[in-house]
């Protein structure tokens, strides 16, 4: 207790936390996390919490998974880090081969970095420079992205992002990006009813791609689930049609699978579900099983080829980071991919998804549950003030935060997105844990916003 209090005090004196209103933080008694074991985190007072959002969407197989621990330790006994500029190493070489083997067909090059934002920053710069250097490429400099998109917090990925709350203030710093309305049937941007609204969104998207084809370098999307927007699900067929339209117009398609990758949606990558292979794919988060910061941007041979030339032509991709392809991260990623090889992880996700779906079904009738969205083990429950009009609560009511607080009293950690309660349990969860998670959320919703 004393130690916890001391740590809290020291934290408040020196630290500035991400995506956190620090004036509120200073008044709170934050949990000080000390260790993890399986799907649980433990605080310094010995309390145990189920990791209900996989430590912000990164963890796949729980904490202190033996194979990943051992792989990192083994790598540590040889080399913690060396630069990837002008040198290479075995874990990165082996990992590149494995990533290309599990990734969507057609991708043949791996460019490493260290987090989702930089993986997307790289994707954007790569697409831009590709057109500059492609034989007869023309002046294709534009990007088309979705409203509600989230691709990270660096300036390039913020430019592609479309969440006003996070990105609005930075607009003067950003490059302009053409914006497609978020295809979200619950709040249809065209005011239409299901199912025609989904089709309409797809048609308008195709028109937009065709109209802008000559000036677009790439279309950038989070396939199937727009996570940070509140787990918004793409209408079925939208992604496939986007791939067809971009192919037809010779525009690159960049898929950001930072959140959806590595089994979270029920397939290794979300874009597989619509038979889509992007030209550029960004991965991070689950890549190391949630252990270490490592990311990768995968590209086609066609894109890679445009960067080849004589040294003095300077067609080089001038981008890199001190910790690019960190060997410890690569070792953790290799161990993560071997778990996928050895165990039927995707079969397990499908079984757990069915349980999650059934459990969430019980919440449908609750008076303030607006929409329940789920793809695989990614779910969002949108809480609304008025179920009929779909009116939201005022942000000052902090409904999402209050619900999550209540859930914490039940020994479960969650983090909401506004008034969307996000559930993203580790892929290693048990059926009983999923049931307990939804039951606790249901109870908390009914307590915080009773009928
Ligand atoms: C789709 C998507 N892209 C990019 C990012 C940024 O990743 P990172 O936080 O590792 O920079 C996130 C993070 O949540 C994400 O969900």
């Amino acid at each position: 207790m004393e130690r916890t209090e001391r740590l809290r005090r020291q934290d408040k004196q020196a630290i500035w936390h991400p995506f956190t209103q620090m004036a509120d933080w200073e008044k709170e008694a934050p949990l000080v996390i000390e260790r993890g074991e399986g799907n649980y985190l433990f605080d310094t007072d010995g309390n145990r919490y189920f990791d209900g959002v996989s430590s912000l969407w990164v963890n796949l197989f729980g904490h202190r998974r033996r194979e990943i621990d051992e792989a990192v330790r083994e790598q540590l006994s040889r080399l913690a880090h060396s630069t990837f500029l002008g040198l290479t190493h075995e874990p990165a070489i082996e990992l590149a081969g494995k990533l290309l083997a599990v990734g969507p067909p057609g991708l043949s090059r791996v460019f490493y970095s260290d987090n989702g934002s930089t993986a997307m920053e790289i994707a954007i710069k790569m697409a831009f420079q590709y057109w500059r250097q492609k034989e007869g490429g023309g002046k294709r400099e534009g990007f088309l992205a979705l409203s509600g998109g989230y691709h990270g917090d660096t300036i390039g990925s913020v430019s592609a992002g479309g969440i006003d709350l996070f990105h609005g203030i930075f607009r003067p710093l950003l490059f302009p990006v053409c914006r497609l309305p978020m295809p979200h049937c619950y709040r249809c941007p065209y005011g239409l009813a299901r199912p025609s609204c989904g089709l309409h969104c797809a048609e308008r998207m195709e028109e937009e791609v065709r109209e802008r084809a000559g000036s677009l370098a790439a279309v950038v999307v989070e396939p199937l689930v727009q996570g940070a927007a509140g787990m918004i699900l793409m209408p079925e067929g939208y992604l496939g049609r986007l791939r067809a339209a971009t192919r037809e117009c010779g525009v690159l398609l960049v898929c950001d699978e930072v959140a959806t990758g590595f089994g979270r949606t029920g397939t290794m990558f979300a874009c597989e579900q619509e038979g889509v292979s992007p030209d550029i794919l960004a991965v991070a988060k689950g890549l190391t099983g949630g252990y270490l910061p490592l990311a990768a941007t995968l590209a086609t041979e066609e894109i890679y080829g445009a960067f080849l030339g004589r040294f003095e032509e300077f067609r080089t991709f001038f981008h890199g980071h001190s910790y690019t392809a960190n060997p410890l991260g690569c070792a953790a990623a290799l161990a993560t991919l071997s778990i996928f090889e050895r165990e039927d992880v995707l079969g397990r996700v499908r079984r757990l998804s069915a349980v999650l779906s059934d459990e969430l079904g019980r919440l449908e009738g609750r008076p303030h549950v607006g929409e329940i969205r789920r793809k695989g083990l990614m779910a969002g429950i949108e809480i609304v003030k008025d179920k009929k009009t779909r009116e939201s609560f005022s942000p000052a009511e902090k409904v999402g935060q209050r619900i999550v607080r209540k859930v914490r009293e039940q020994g479960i950690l969650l983090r909401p997105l506004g008034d969307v309660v996000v559930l993203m349990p580790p892929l290693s969860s048990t059926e009983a844990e999923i049931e307990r998670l939804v039951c606790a959320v249901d109870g908390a919703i009914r307590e915080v916003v009773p009928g």
Side-chain angles (χ1 to χ4, degrees):
M1 290 293 201
E2 236 172 70
R3 179 169 155 244
T4 304
E5 278 314 314
R6 175 176 52 78
L7 289 168
R8 282 181 181 145
R9 250 192 335 273
Q10 289 172 342
D11 174 291
K12 289 176 187 180
Q13 277 162 7
I15 297 180
W16 190 343
H17 286 264
F19 280 90
T20 302
Q21 175 42 258
M22 293 305 288
D24 287 344
W25 177 268
E26 285 174 15
K27 289 183 229 137
E28 286 164 14
L31 299 186
V32 184
I33 298 299
E34 184 162 54
R35 66 186 182 93
E37 189 72 58
N39 302 325
Y40 294 84
L41 291 165
F42 294 78
D43 68 12
T44 40
D45 295 332
N47 300 308
R48 185 178 95 135
Y49 300 91
F50 178 68
D51 193 355
V53 282
S54 299
S55 291
L56 216 64
W57 318 357
V58 298
N59 193 284
L60 296 183
F61 307 123
H63 301 275
R64 301 201 44 231
R65 172 80 189 217
R66 185 183 47 80
E67 298 94 317
I68 309 179
D69 282 11
E70 280 171 7
V72 174
R73 255 191 233 114
E74 223 261 307
Q75 180 56 43
L76 191 56
S77 70
R78 275 179 282 132
L79 171 73
H81 187 68
S82 82
T83 181
F84 215 56
L85 278 64
L87 295 176
T88 191
H89 54 72
E90 191 171 1
I93 295 167
E94 208 189 320
L95 178 61
K98 295 219 157 159
L99 266 180
L100 294 173
V102 295
L107 299 167
S108 62
R109 295 283 161 176
V110 177
F111 194 100
Y112 287 110
S113 59
D114 40 29
N115 60 67
S117 309
T118 50
M120 280 306 295
E121 199 77 23
I122 288 162
I124 290 165
K125 287 172 74 178
M126 214 177 241
F128 182 89
Q129 191 173 338
Y130 164 76
W131 286 109
R132 284 290 160 112
Q133 295 179 176
K134 179 183 157 66
E135 204 68 30
K139 210 169 152 28
R140 285 170 173 254
E141 297 186 340
F143 287 87
L144 182 62
L146 294 178
S147 300
Y150 179 77
H151 303 288
D153 297 328
T154 53
I155 291 298
S157 46
V158 168
S159 298
I163 300 184
D164 248 15
L165 175 66
F166 303 159
H167 306 143
I169 194 162
F170 301 114
R171 286 281 164 235
L173 288 178
L174 309 178
F175 58 81
V177 165
C178 310
R179 203 62 63 194
L180 282 164
M182 178 159 69
H184 182 202
C185 299
Y186 183 66
R187 297 188 188 284
C188 174
Y190 303 104
L192 301 169
R194 274 180 231 254
S196 58
C197 64
L199 291 174
H200 189 76
C201 268
E203 277 163 18
R204 294 294 292 269
M205 169 273 291
E206 287 166 339
E207 280 165 25
E208 197 77 24
V209 173
R210 287 187 191 119
E211 255 167 47
R212 297 183 184 274
S215 64
L216 282 182
V219 181
V220 177
V221 287
E222 292 162 83
L224 300 198
V225 186
Q226 290 193 263
M231 302 294 139
I232 308 297
L233 304 184
M234 268 184 179
E236 220 179 298
Y238 186 97
L239 184 67
R241 287 175 70 164
L242 174 61
R243 176 66 282 192
T246 47
R247 266 247 155 84
E248 171 199 316
C249 300
V251 174
L252 299 180
L253 176 65
V254 175
C255 281
D256 176 350
E257 293 242 21
V258 169
T260 51
F262 302 103
R264 206 63 82 175
T265 66
T267 44
M268 195 64 171
F269 296 101
C271 54
E272 287 169 35
Q273 291 182 37
E274 300 223 351
V276 164
S277 277
D279 300 287
I280 300 179
L281 176 82
V283 295
K285 287 195 187 277
L287 171 60
T288 61
Y291 266 57
L292 286 157
L294 182 76
T297 307
L298 278 56
T300 60
E301 205 62 15
E302 158 72 17
I303 293 175
Y304 174 74
F307 290 73
L308 301 179
R310 290 189 314 279
F311 175 81
E312 65 277 17
E313 284 180 280
F314 297 125
R315 294 164 74 94
T316 307
F317 189 40
F318 289 108
H319 187 112
H321 301 280
S322 311
Y323 286 100
T324 290
N326 172 256
L328 296 173
C330 291
L334 280 167
T336 298
L337 291 183
S338 1
I339 294 172
F340 275 100
E341 280 167 19
R342 278 197 318 276
E343 295 179 9
D344 181 21
V345 177
L346 299 176
R348 182 190 182 91
V349 172
R350 276 191 291 276
R351 280 193 305 278
L352 291 171
S353 303
V355 175
L356 182 58
S357 170
D358 283 351
E359 292 298 310
L360 286 171
R362 292 194 288 110
L363 274 67
E364 291 281 1
R366 304 279 182 247
H368 291 285
V369 169
E371 190 185 38
I372 299 177
R373 305 184 272 269
R374 185 198 58 81
K375 183 62 79 184
L377 287 178
M378 299 175 84
I381 304 163
E382 181 168 339
I383 308 298
V384 290
K385 186 170 175 183
D386 188 322
K387 198 160 170 137
K388 266 211 195 83
T389 62
R390 302 179 181 181
E391 182 194 347
S392 306
F393 282 99
S394 139
E397 293 192 58
K398 296 186 185 166
V399 166
Q401 282 188 33
R402 278 161 51 216
I403 291 170
V404 161
R405 261 302 146 85
K406 277 274 162 236
V407 174
R408 186 185 288 184
E409 290 168 14
Q410 306 286 313
I412 294 172
L413 293 180
L414 294 179
R415 187 169 167 93
L417 286 159
D419 287 347
V420 177
V421 181
V422 173
L423 311 184
M424 212 182 289
L427 312 189
S428 52
S429 305
T430 63
E431 293 185 10
E433 283 166 343
I434 302 278
E435 285 163 12
R436 203 169 82 75
L437 168 65
V438 180
C439 181
V441 169
D442 186 20
I445 292 173
R446 286 193 284 165
E447 217 177 313
V448 172
V449 281

